[in-house]
Amino acid sequence: IDTWYLHDANYYPDFPTSARTMMWFLDQEKGPTVNGVFTINQSLVRDFLRITGEIPLEEYNISLNAENFSLVLSYIVESKMEGKTSPKKIIEKVLGKIIEKMKDKEMQKQ
């Protein structure tokens, strides 16, 4: 590979090496400084959705839930519905909506 970017950093089979590489890329690209890297897998997202309930995706006329999110997100990403240059942008949107719903639930407890 002649040119590598941050999106290429998850190349290594072990997480610690990929995480260090991601941090290095951010530094080289003058991105934000970070103290560490964490990941979120599908099991965790499924658990979050069980807590928050459905997450509406108005622009696609569908709601995500613990049972359908993997299939729906895969379809949106693979079909490049968010655009050819940023097909995974939907993941950022969904995680943002999950965080907001979790905050709302926490506020309701108080």
Side-chain angles (χ1 to χ4, degrees):
I1 300 175
D2 293 335
T3 307
W4 280 36
Y5 298 97
L6 178 60
H7 65 264
D8 301 311
N10 194 20
Y11 173 79
Y12 301 97
D14 64 296
F15 179 73
T17 302
S18 288
R20 282 191 299 276
T21 305
M22 288 176 210
M23 291 170 68
W24 180 85
F25 272 110
L26 274 172
D27 184 56
Q28 298 303 305
E29 294 177 7
K30 306 297 185 229
T33 58
V34 295
N35 295 323
V37 177
F38 69 94
T39 62
I40 298 174
N41 66 17
Q42 289 188 16
S43 295
L44 183 60
V45 174
R46 188 174 296 112
D47 290 344
F48 284 157
L49 286 168
R50 285 189 180 116
I51 294 167
T52 64
E54 291 192 345
I55 302 288
L57 297 177
E58 293 87 2
E59 62 267 39
Y60 299 107
N61 199 27
I62 193 167
S63 289
L64 290 181
N65 58 49
E67 288 73 39
N68 74 0
F69 86 94
S70 183
L71 179 64
V72 171
L73 285 183
S74 293
Y75 179 79
I76 292 170
V77 169
E78 295 303 323
S79 65
K80 298 183 178 21
M81 293 174 83
E82 286 284 322
K84 290 183 180 183
T85 58
S86 58
K88 295 181 182 178
K89 188 78 171 168
I90 187 66
I91 296 170
E92 180 182 339
K93 288 179 184 178
V94 167
L95 290 176
K97 289 182 179 204
I98 289 173
I99 290 168
E100 286 303 312
K101 271 194 122 176
M102 299 275 283
K103 286 179 183 177
D104 290 344
K105 284 199 170 281
E106 185 62 30
M107 292 300 289
Q108 290 173 3
K109 284 183 178 179
Q110 297 175 358

